[in-house]
């Protein structure tokens, strides 16, 4: 099996459109993936999940 596919067998969190924090985390995740640093990719996935669950994604904080 392709190691890239084995590492990505689960769905990754997707960035929220318009959120700078999500965009930064997604960019760092792509850099880690390019470096084949799977531990960092997993850590950034967890960081994005935690970030998305935080108050920065409430409708009030996003101006919606």
């Amino acid at each position: 099996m392709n190691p890239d596919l084995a590492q990505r067998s689960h769905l990754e969190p997707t960035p929220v459109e318009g959120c700078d924090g999500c965009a930064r985390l997604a960019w760092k995740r792509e850099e880690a993936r390019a470096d084949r640093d799977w531990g960092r990719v997993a850590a950034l996935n967890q960081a994005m999940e935690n970030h998305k669950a935080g108050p920065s994604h409430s409708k009030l904080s996003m101006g919606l």
Side-chain angles (χ1 to χ4, degrees), residues 16-32:
V16 173
E17 188 174 335
C19 176
D20 291 337
C22 283
R24 283 191 300 272
L25 288 167
W27 174 253
K28 289 180 185 224
R29 182 175 63 190
E30 290 305 314
E31 286 181 329

Side-chain angles (χ1 to χ4, degrees), residues 11-57:
L11 295 177
E12 293 184 328
T14 55
V16 173
E17 188 174 335
C19 176
D20 291 337
C22 283
R24 283 191 300 272
L25 288 167
W27 174 253
K28 289 180 185 224
R29 182 175 63 190
E30 290 305 314
E31 286 181 329
R33 186 173 289 120
D35 291 340
R36 302 178 68 83
D37 185 347
W38 305 121
R40 195 166 136 225
V41 169
L44 288 162
N45 281 337
Q46 186 62 52
M48 188 177 297
E49 284 290 337
N50 293 340
H51 171 74
K52 287 172 65 174
S56 62
H57 286 281

